[in-house]
Amino acid sequence: MSGLPLEMIAEILCRLPAKELLCCRSVSKPWCALIDGPNFVKLHLKHSMDTSSNLYIILRTTSHVHYMDFEQNLVLNDCVTLKELNHPLMCYNHGIKVLGSVNGLLCISNVVDDIAVWNPSTRKHRVVPFLPLELKRYFGTKSCSVYVFGFGYDSVRDDYKLVRIAQFGGGGKRSFESEVKVYSLRKQSWRRIGDMPYCVHYPGANGVFANGALHWVVGENPESNVANIVVALDLGVEDYREVLQPEYKDKNFYIDLGVLRGCLCFLANFLGERVDVWMMKEYGVKESWTKLFSVAQYEVIGFLRSLKPLAYSKSGDEVLIEHDNLDLCWYDLKRKQVKNRIPGIPYSFEADTSVESLISVNPNRHLDGRTHDEDEDSKDRNKRDDFLSEGFKLVL
């Protein structure tokens, strides 16, 4: 391949998994510079997204994080092989939470709210500076009642952002205040943005990223105790807007959100009866809401409390779904039925999807043949003690 132009080599290499590409960096300096370059990183990610390749499923249990290759485990054979991921956070025997998954980057946190942005494929991570609540502002009048996170990609600035929404109640049933802060991976700092004018009712319900925005299910005020509004935070302009919902006759359900192939999904959960899954095929257009499928109580084992669509099959005729954090199974879109529970899955888990990518956790890295990631490796090792230094909390 030495006689081929670099453009053609790039077109060939972009079809490889990220881990194989990391090995290819050692072939020659031109290959290393090519693979490390931002244009190739984006080309590789685009090819994976367009072809639904290099996809894997993350399964988080109480104390471990596992992954399985989507095609090898769920498409080519029935035998599931789980591999454990060695995440970079101290877990204190309590495991970690996945706050979001975007373009191969996972945002994770532990029980004491240490947070890191991590690429499992490259084994690189960046620790997010600890962010205390501004308690002084609310001292004596209001207390923090709930806080949630969201992790997504700002295509305008080519930046990955983590959002934390903290809400404070007290001093009246309708009275609440919010504190919304955004962490920029590129700037490596937090800053405050406009308050969210809605009430978050579900602690721990992290934002769903789709079409450049994070989405939460919220209510108008604490007094209503009803979450029936879908609000979007556009990461490009950092402004809020309500998302128009599909038309439906029966409104006696709970709302959940999901994403399939980058499209926002609306889940109408008729608790114990069925879950209807809608997809917004053209973002922002109410008329584009399409009812994709419906899962009834009798089709699953156990009580139908929750449902989460994860990914399409290669053919597009089936959707992989998670049921109640207990089962993974396929839904056949043609036959309109649940089929084939996936064997070998942990008893209780939370599932997310991710893609192998070369996206850097250091967006400002140098492109002179030696990456900023490599420059930082030795510093990170020497500063391991600083990993949890700022905001370290002793767990007794």
Side-chain angles (χ1 to χ4, degrees), residues 136-169:
K136 292 182 180 179
R137 178 184 176 195
Y138 307 97
F139 182 75
T141 58
K142 298 181 183 297
S143 60
C144 182
S145 55
V146 60
Y147 65 93
V148 295
F149 290 92
F151 181 63
Y153 176 62
D154 175 4
S155 60
V156 176
R157 297 169 181 80
D158 190 23
D159 193 9
Y160 291 85
K161 294 180 176 181
L162 173 65
V163 177
R164 190 192 70 179
I165 303 173
Q167 293 201 326
F168 302 80

Side-chain angles (χ1 to χ4, degrees), residues 234-253:
D234 188 309
L235 293 180
V237 297
E238 295 181 348
D239 197 10
Y240 308 95
R241 62 175 180 271
E242 289 188 23
V243 177
L244 297 175
Q245 300 177 21
E247 293 287 348
Y248 37 77
K249 296 179 180 179
D250 188 353
K251 298 184 179 181
N252 188 28
F253 57 78

Side-chain angles (χ1 to χ4, degrees), residues 198-202 217-229 251 253-255:
Y198 304 94
C199 184
V200 177
H201 288 291
Y202 303 138
V217 180
V218 296
E220 291 185 356
N221 56 69
E223 186 180 32
S224 67
N225 201 30
V226 175
N228 56 5
I229 299 171
K251 298 184 179 181
F253 57 78
Y254 296 95
I255 301 174

